[in-house]
């Protein structure tokens, strides 16, 4: 018999985001004519920027002609995109060479490929509430997970030096709490990781939302990080590539464990597990990193920032302390009256057709909290904020 991997045998329930989608599907099948205001899963309202669309059209035309047709792309990414990403970092005074850049079909593929590189007996540290994929990927590998709580205001705490960790997952700005870690805190994590030869997997999926120049947007800005940290990037939320799929992994040359350079092993991983990323998509990604592309994506990010300001005003007027909305296009808060995140989810959906995200999705420390997205259209956000206000105000 073809036995099933233990994780899939034992995980009878859907992934956390799957549970939310299932609850929405149940509601829509019972109320097919109701319009929903989707402020939950981070689906975007702004289209892909013209620079990227034009580049992808041009790439498709190239593929349509024998003289410019191209087939398989290099497993680690096309040179043009690896160079564009490296230059993007170099422009911020972060030394990075193009062969330290690995192109992926999104951050999820990067995270999952990196998780495959490490031994099953690595002890994993995750600071929650955070993006649930970190815990799921490590459970899939059968690893022991140590969960640490974010500070009450959602910030990343200093490392607990009494705890030994081999793999450390950090997300900054952190989804869902919205906190962007400062230099001092990240330096403490880098020192801690170097001391015990751990590796930090630093998820920078929301780095483009950070506008405060005093805050690091990359772990590679931190002294000592090149010997202990890998960065994961995504164009999903910054360039509306959720459906197109493009991300990257940055692995410094000098990062070695067991005497093995991790960049070399990740190169092998890409050769075994993927056959590279679509040429068309990579040309689109390259265009995002041009001055035009950057100016265009900033305009979309400003729209999300204005939505976030509206949510901030709404939460403040309800006297609900919140995190996020500044460095992250999500807002996170404790539910009123001791409600669970799922109770608030059900109530908002059934009474107001507003879909949010229960904090429980982001791990045990997200219990009793709730996340709202600022990625919808301004019109839907305004209507959802009004409906949310009415629902909470009468509690
Ligand atoms: N990392 C974080 C923190 C996220 O919130 C998300 C998506 O919501 C991802 C990674 C996944 O990104 P991608 O769409 O590039 O796989």
């Amino acid at each position: 018999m073809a036995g099933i991997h233990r994780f899939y045998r034992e995980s009878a329930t859907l992934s956390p985001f799957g549970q939310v989608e299932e609850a929405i599907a149940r509601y829509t099948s019972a109320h097919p004519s109701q319009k929903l205001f989707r402020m939950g899963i981070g689906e975007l309202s702004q289209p892909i920027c013209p620079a990227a669309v034009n580049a992808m059209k041009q790439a498709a035309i190239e593929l349509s002609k024998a003289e410019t047709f191209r087939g398989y792309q290099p497993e680690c990414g096309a040179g043009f995109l690896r160079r564009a990403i490296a230059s993007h970092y170099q422009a911020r005074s972060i030394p990075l060479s193009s062969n330290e850049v690995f192109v992926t079909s999104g951050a999820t593929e990067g995270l999952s490929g990196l998780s495959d590189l490490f031994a099953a007996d690595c002890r994993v540290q995750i600071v929650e509430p955070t993006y649930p994929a970190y815990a799921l990927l490590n459970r899939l590998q059968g690893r022991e997970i140590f969960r640490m709580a974010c500070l009450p205001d959602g910030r990343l705490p200093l490392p607990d030096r009494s705890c030994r960790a081999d793999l450390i997952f950090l997300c900054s700005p952190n989804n869902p709490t919205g906190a962007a870690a400062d230099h001092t805190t990240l330096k403490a994590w880098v020192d801690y990781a170097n001391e015990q030869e751990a590796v930090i997997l630093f998820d920078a999926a929301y780095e483009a939302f950070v506008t405060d120049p005093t805050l690091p947007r990359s772990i590679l800005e931190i002294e000592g990080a090149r010997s202990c940290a890998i960065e994961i990037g995504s164009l999903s939320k910054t360039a509306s590539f959720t459906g197109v799929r493009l991300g990257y992994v940055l692995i410094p040359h000098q990062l070695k464990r067991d005497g093995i350079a991790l960049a070399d092993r990740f190169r092998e991983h890409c050769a075994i597990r993927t056959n590279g990323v679509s040429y068309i998509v990579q040309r689109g990604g390259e265009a995002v990193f041009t001055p035009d592309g950057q100016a265009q994506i900033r305009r979309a990010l400003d729209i999300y920032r204005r939505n976030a300001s509206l949510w901030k005003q709404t939460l403040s007027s309800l006297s609900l302390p919140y995190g996020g909305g500044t460095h992250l296009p999500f807002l996170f808060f404790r539910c009123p009256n001791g409600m669970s995140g799922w109770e608030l989810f059900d109530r908002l959906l059934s009474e107001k057709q507003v879909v949010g995200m229960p904090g429980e999705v982001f791990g045990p420390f997200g219990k009793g909290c709730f996340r709202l997205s600022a990625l919808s259209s301004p019109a839907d956000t305004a209507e959802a904020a009004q409906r949310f206000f009415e629902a909470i105000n009468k509690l």
Side-chain angles (χ1 to χ4, degrees), residues 105-109 111 131 134 171 175 203 205-206 233-237 242 245-247 330:
S105 292
T108 307
E109 187 184 275
L111 284 162
Y131 189 50
Y134 315 143
C171 183
N175 179 13
D203 186 342
Y206 296 95
S234 168
L235 271 69
S236 281
K237 305 293 160 61
T242 40
R245 312 299 304 139
L246 192 66
F330 298 106

Short mmCIF file of all heavy atoms in Angstrom, two decimals, residues 105-109 111 131 134 171 175 203 205-206 233-237 242 245-247 330, ligand 1:
data_model
loop_
_atom_site.label_atom_id
_atom_site.label_comp_id
_atom_site.label_asym_id
_atom_site.label_seq_id
_atom_site.Cartn_x
_atom_site.Cartn_y
_atom_site.Cartn_z
N SER A 105 8.91 30.72 -6.97
CA SER A 105 7.52 31.05 -7.33
C SER A 105 6.77 31.51 -6.07
O SER A 105 5.78 30.91 -5.69
CB SER A 105 6.82 29.83 -7.92
OG SER A 105 7.39 29.52 -9.15
N GLY A 106 7.29 32.51 -5.41
CA GLY A 106 6.64 33.04 -4.21
C GLY A 106 7.40 32.66 -2.95
O GLY A 106 8.20 31.71 -2.94
N ALA A 107 7.12 33.42 -1.89
CA ALA A 107 7.80 33.19 -0.62
C ALA A 107 7.48 31.81 -0.05
O ALA A 107 8.33 31.18 0.60
CB ALA A 107 7.41 34.27 0.38
N THR A 108 6.28 31.32 -0.30
CA THR A 108 5.90 30.01 0.27
C THR A 108 6.82 28.92 -0.27
O THR A 108 7.28 28.06 0.49
CB THR A 108 4.42 29.69 -0.07
OG1 THR A 108 3.64 30.80 0.36
CG2 THR A 108 3.95 28.44 0.61
N GLU A 109 7.10 28.98 -1.57
CA GLU A 109 8.00 27.98 -2.15
C GLU A 109 9.40 28.13 -1.54
O GLU A 109 10.08 27.14 -1.26
CB GLU A 109 8.07 28.14 -3.68
CG GLU A 109 8.86 27.03 -4.34
CD GLU A 109 9.02 27.25 -5.84
OE1 GLU A 109 8.11 26.87 -6.58
OE2 GLU A 109 10.05 27.80 -6.24
N LEU A 111 10.17 29.35 1.49
CA LEU A 111 10.15 28.86 2.88
C LEU A 111 10.13 27.35 2.92
O LEU A 111 10.83 26.72 3.72
CB LEU A 111 8.90 29.41 3.60
CG LEU A 111 8.95 30.88 4.02
CD1 LEU A 111 7.56 31.41 4.30
CD2 LEU A 111 9.85 31.03 5.26
N TYR A 131 2.79 34.30 10.90
CA TYR A 131 2.32 33.61 9.70
C TYR A 131 2.30 32.09 9.95
O TYR A 131 3.34 31.51 10.31
CB TYR A 131 3.27 33.97 8.56
CG TYR A 131 2.81 33.53 7.19
CD1 TYR A 131 1.53 33.81 6.74
CD2 TYR A 131 3.67 32.84 6.35
CE1 TYR A 131 1.12 33.41 5.48
CE2 TYR A 131 3.27 32.44 5.09
CZ TYR A 131 1.99 32.73 4.67
OH TYR A 131 1.58 32.33 3.43
N TYR A 134 4.99 28.81 9.01
CA TYR A 134 6.24 28.38 9.65
C TYR A 134 5.99 27.13 10.49
O TYR A 134 6.74 26.16 10.42
CB TYR A 134 6.84 29.48 10.55
CG TYR A 134 6.86 30.87 9.94
CD1 TYR A 134 6.63 32.00 10.71
CD2 TYR A 134 7.13 31.05 8.59
CE1 TYR A 134 6.65 33.27 10.16
CE2 TYR A 134 7.15 32.32 8.03
CZ TYR A 134 6.90 33.43 8.83
OH TYR A 134 6.91 34.68 8.28
N CYS A 171 9.61 37.14 11.40
CA CYS A 171 8.85 37.83 10.35
C CYS A 171 8.82 39.31 10.72
O CYS A 171 8.35 39.67 11.80
CB CYS A 171 7.43 37.25 10.32
SG CYS A 171 6.39 37.93 9.02
N ASN A 175 3.47 39.67 10.32
CA ASN A 175 2.07 39.39 10.03
C ASN A 175 1.58 38.42 11.09
O ASN A 175 2.13 37.33 11.19
CB ASN A 175 1.96 38.72 8.64
CG ASN A 175 0.55 38.36 8.28
OD1 ASN A 175 -0.39 38.80 8.91
ND2 ASN A 175 0.39 37.54 7.25
N ASP A 203 11.61 36.37 7.24
CA ASP A 203 10.57 36.59 6.23
C ASP A 203 10.31 38.10 6.12
O ASP A 203 9.75 38.72 7.03
CB ASP A 203 9.31 35.84 6.66
CG ASP A 203 8.21 35.88 5.60
OD1 ASP A 203 8.27 36.73 4.70
OD2 ASP A 203 7.28 35.05 5.70
N ALA A 205 8.45 39.56 3.71
CA ALA A 205 7.41 39.68 2.67
C ALA A 205 6.78 41.08 2.64
O ALA A 205 6.27 41.50 1.60
CB ALA A 205 6.33 38.62 2.88
N TYR A 206 6.81 41.78 3.78
CA TYR A 206 6.15 43.10 3.84
C TYR A 206 7.14 44.25 3.96
O TYR A 206 6.76 45.35 4.36
CB TYR A 206 5.14 43.12 5.01
CG TYR A 206 4.03 42.11 4.80
CD1 TYR A 206 4.10 40.84 5.35
CD2 TYR A 206 2.94 42.43 4.01
CE1 TYR A 206 3.10 39.91 5.12
CE2 TYR A 206 1.93 41.51 3.77
CZ TYR A 206 2.03 40.25 4.33
OH TYR A 206 1.04 39.33 4.10
N GLY A 233 11.88 36.86 0.37
CA GLY A 233 11.12 38.01 -0.12
C GLY A 233 9.98 37.55 -1.01
O GLY A 233 9.95 36.41 -1.49
N SER A 234 9.02 38.46 -1.21
CA SER A 234 7.85 38.12 -2.02
C SER A 234 7.39 39.35 -2.79
O SER A 234 7.46 40.46 -2.28
CB SER A 234 6.72 37.66 -1.10
OG SER A 234 5.51 37.59 -1.80
N LEU A 235 6.90 39.16 -4.00
CA LEU A 235 6.31 40.27 -4.74
C LEU A 235 4.78 40.24 -4.65
O LEU A 235 4.09 41.01 -5.30
CB LEU A 235 6.75 40.24 -6.22
CG LEU A 235 8.04 41.01 -6.51
CD1 LEU A 235 9.24 40.33 -5.90
CD2 LEU A 235 8.24 41.20 -7.99
N SER A 236 4.27 39.31 -3.80
CA SER A 236 2.82 39.13 -3.73
C SER A 236 2.09 40.39 -3.31
O SER A 236 1.20 40.88 -4.01
CB SER A 236 2.47 37.99 -2.76
OG SER A 236 2.67 36.76 -3.39
N LYS A 237 2.44 40.91 -2.14
CA LYS A 237 1.69 42.04 -1.60
C LYS A 237 2.24 43.36 -2.07
O LYS A 237 1.54 44.36 -2.10
CB LYS A 237 1.68 42.00 -0.06
CG LYS A 237 1.15 40.69 0.51
CD LYS A 237 -0.32 40.49 0.23
CE LYS A 237 -0.78 39.05 0.34
NZ LYS A 237 -0.62 38.43 1.62
N THR A 242 0.21 38.09 -6.33
CA THR A 242 -0.34 36.92 -5.62
C THR A 242 -0.71 35.80 -6.59
O THR A 242 -0.49 34.63 -6.30
CB THR A 242 -1.58 37.32 -4.79
OG1 THR A 242 -2.35 38.24 -5.56
CG2 THR A 242 -1.23 37.96 -3.48
N ARG A 245 2.82 34.84 -8.99
CA ARG A 245 3.73 34.04 -8.18
C ARG A 245 5.20 34.36 -8.45
O ARG A 245 5.78 33.93 -9.44
CB ARG A 245 3.51 32.51 -8.36
CG ARG A 245 2.11 32.02 -8.28
CD ARG A 245 1.44 32.29 -6.95
NE ARG A 245 2.16 31.75 -5.83
CZ ARG A 245 2.32 32.40 -4.67
NH1 ARG A 245 1.79 33.60 -4.48
NH2 ARG A 245 3.01 31.85 -3.71
N LEU A 246 5.79 35.15 -7.57
CA LEU A 246 7.23 35.40 -7.65
C LEU A 246 7.78 35.82 -6.29
O LEU A 246 7.18 36.66 -5.61
CB LEU A 246 7.54 36.49 -8.70
CG LEU A 246 9.01 36.63 -9.07
CD1 LEU A 246 9.53 35.39 -9.78
CD2 LEU A 246 9.23 37.84 -9.98
N GLY A 247 8.88 35.21 -5.92
CA GLY A 247 9.54 35.57 -4.67
C GLY A 247 11.03 35.31 -4.82
O GLY A 247 11.50 34.98 -5.91
N PHE A 330 -2.26 45.28 7.44
CA PHE A 330 -3.25 44.58 8.26
C PHE A 330 -3.28 45.25 9.62
O PHE A 330 -2.28 45.84 10.04
CB PHE A 330 -2.86 43.10 8.47
CG PHE A 330 -2.80 42.29 7.20
CD1 PHE A 330 -1.58 41.92 6.67
CD2 PHE A 330 -3.96 41.91 6.54
CE1 PHE A 330 -1.51 41.18 5.50
CE2 PHE A 330 -3.90 41.17 5.36
CZ PHE A 330 -2.68 40.80 4.84
N1 LIG B 1 5.13 35.42 4.31
C1 LIG B 1 4.19 36.14 4.92
C2 LIG B 1 4.52 36.80 6.22
C3 LIG B 1 2.92 36.27 4.37
O1 LIG B 1 1.98 36.97 5.01
C4 LIG B 1 2.65 35.63 3.13
C5 LIG B 1 1.33 35.73 2.50
O2 LIG B 1 0.35 36.13 3.05
C6 LIG B 1 3.66 34.88 2.54
C7 LIG B 1 4.89 34.79 3.15
C8 LIG B 1 3.41 34.13 1.27
O3 LIG B 1 3.84 34.86 0.20
P1 LIG B 1 3.78 34.29 -1.30
O4 LIG B 1 2.46 34.69 -1.87
O5 LIG B 1 4.93 34.99 -1.98
O6 LIG B 1 3.95 32.82 -1.26
#
